[in-house]
Amino acid sequence: MSESAARDLLYQDQQGAMERRALREQELLSTKKAKELKSPKLKIPAPKSGTGFGGSSKKAMSPMQRLASEQAKIVDRDGVLRINQALSPDQSDKLREYVLKQQSIAAVETEKDLRLSKAFYGVENQRKNRCDLQLSLLQGGFAADRDGDVSSIDDSHVLADALQELLGGDGTLRYLYENLVTMDGEFYELASVITNPGSLRQQIHPDLPHKDIAPLYVIFLALQDVNEFMGPTTFLLRTHTAKENAIFNDSSQKDKQLTTADSRLATLNKGDAVLFDARILHCGNANDMEKGSDRALFNFSFRNPKVKDNLGYAGSIRPGYAGAMNLRDISEALIAYGEGDKNPFAKYGDGIFRQV
């Protein structure tokens, strides 16, 4: 047997073992009826005189800042938070159409030059019927790669429009992220997670090795309705702690942990988002071959600047964008966009190759 054939056989054996374990975990979780992950009903507390956002300013917090403070408490407690209508239905439709067009371009370009695969695809590139499509911040998207001619392309900037709704001045997620990671939080991921019918269930996992301080906060935003047959994400509430992580890594306790877990299924409406602490246990479910449908999620994350060491997780972002921006940079670019700059992220380039 050739070395290549041996590697392929080993890979198939590993995949088979992972698939069997994922199905076993599904059985263990099914001992309790799955509940839907719902958006909490939060009351915006009255402002406290002389208290600013994060306690750093004498100016009273706005209602959106006070809401963000309450949302952050839920994330800290449960490890995950659902946010309904984070992105408008119209913008969700536009972003989905844009993302699927980018996926088609990526398929063509990687067929021409396989070396570009790492620029287009992230951590889930090798899973069947599933990919993490790493997005470009340039107007024109992948068509603008390597100084491509975009003169014939519509001059709209769908991705910037979406980021404006989410992270702009009064964006639906802006103050929550400012609360969790401050304006110094590194823009760590920018992608779309796309699954197709036939995509298999993942094993339950955290996204990275456990840290005592929450290192990364991730967004999955539905670009279409996501029902139970389309591979929604299952989250195990309050498993982002050191204690739960230790149990998960102990083979003698792991199965019992799953049978008693408070698991929630993130079936979502178009434009709804889940924000989660990357330490929480979770998994993507199977996208059913018969009843499923193509599912696209907008995915980005910000790193907590309090965590200085290596996260042990590269994340899905074009190599040239890694470490290049923080929430403040994103905010400044979106201000420029609002003031008429049609290509506000141009100085960061296409992100294909890591900056030196």
Side-chain angles (χ1 to χ4, degrees), residues 53-177:
F53 196 44
S56 60
S57 171
K58 293 182 179 179
K59 184 179 178 181
M61 291 192 293
S62 70
M64 291 188 70
Q65 289 172 325
R66 298 199 303 275
L67 174 61
S69 182
E70 296 304 304
Q71 290 174 321
K73 293 176 184 176
I74 301 295
V75 176
D76 183 60
R77 183 191 72 192
D78 292 344
V80 62
L81 171 73
R82 175 173 177 162
I83 303 152
N84 289 341
Q85 300 177 338
L87 191 64
S88 66
D90 180 61
Q91 194 57 51
S92 298
D93 287 338
K94 291 178 180 178
L95 185 55
R96 186 177 194 275
E97 181 182 3
Y98 170 81
V99 160
L100 296 180
K101 183 177 180 180
Q102 299 303 292
Q103 185 183 28
S104 297
I105 295 173
V108 172
E109 293 302 316
T110 51
E111 183 71 21
K112 294 178 184 176
D113 187 350
L114 190 60
R115 293 173 300 174
L116 294 175
S117 178
K118 289 184 179 180
F120 288 116
Y121 303 111
V123 296
E124 288 284 4
N125 187 26
Q126 294 185 351
R127 290 177 63 88
K128 189 176 181 181
N129 295 313
R130 179 184 176 99
C131 79
D132 288 352
L133 185 70
Q134 297 175 157
L135 300 174
S136 168
L137 283 165
L138 292 182
Q139 183 187 34
F142 295 159
D145 282 352
R146 294 173 290 178
D147 298 318
D149 182 7
V150 295
S151 59
S152 62
I153 297 176
D154 182 348
D155 66 356
S156 64
H157 198 328
V158 176
L159 183 56
D161 289 336
L163 290 172
Q164 188 76 281
E165 278 195 28
L166 298 167
L167 298 171
D170 283 322
T172 54
L173 303 176
R174 162 62 183 276
Y175 293 117
L176 177 54
Y177 264 118

Side-chain angles (χ1 to χ4, degrees), residues 36-43 64 66-86 172-177 179-180 216-222 233-238 240 264-268 271-278 280-282:
E36 181 185 11
L37 179 68
K38 295 185 176 181
S39 179
K41 295 179 180 180
L42 296 175
K43 291 183 179 180
M64 291 188 70
R66 298 199 303 275
L67 174 61
S69 182
E70 296 304 304
Q71 290 174 321
K73 293 176 184 176
I74 301 295
V75 176
D76 183 60
R77 183 191 72 192
D78 292 344
V80 62
L81 171 73
R82 175 173 177 162
I83 303 152
N84 289 341
Q85 300 177 338
T172 54
L173 303 176
R174 162 62 183 276
Y175 293 117
L176 177 54
Y177 264 118
N179 184 298
L180 294 170
L216 191 69
Y217 294 98
V218 184
I219 283 288
F220 283 168
L221 189 149
T233 307
T234 291
F235 292 94
L236 277 54
L237 297 192
R238 306 186 187 188
H240 56 306
R264 302 297 171 95
L265 191 64
T267 48
L268 301 169
D272 292 351
V274 288
L275 183 150
F276 61 97
D277 180 330
I280 194 173
L281 298 179
H282 64 284

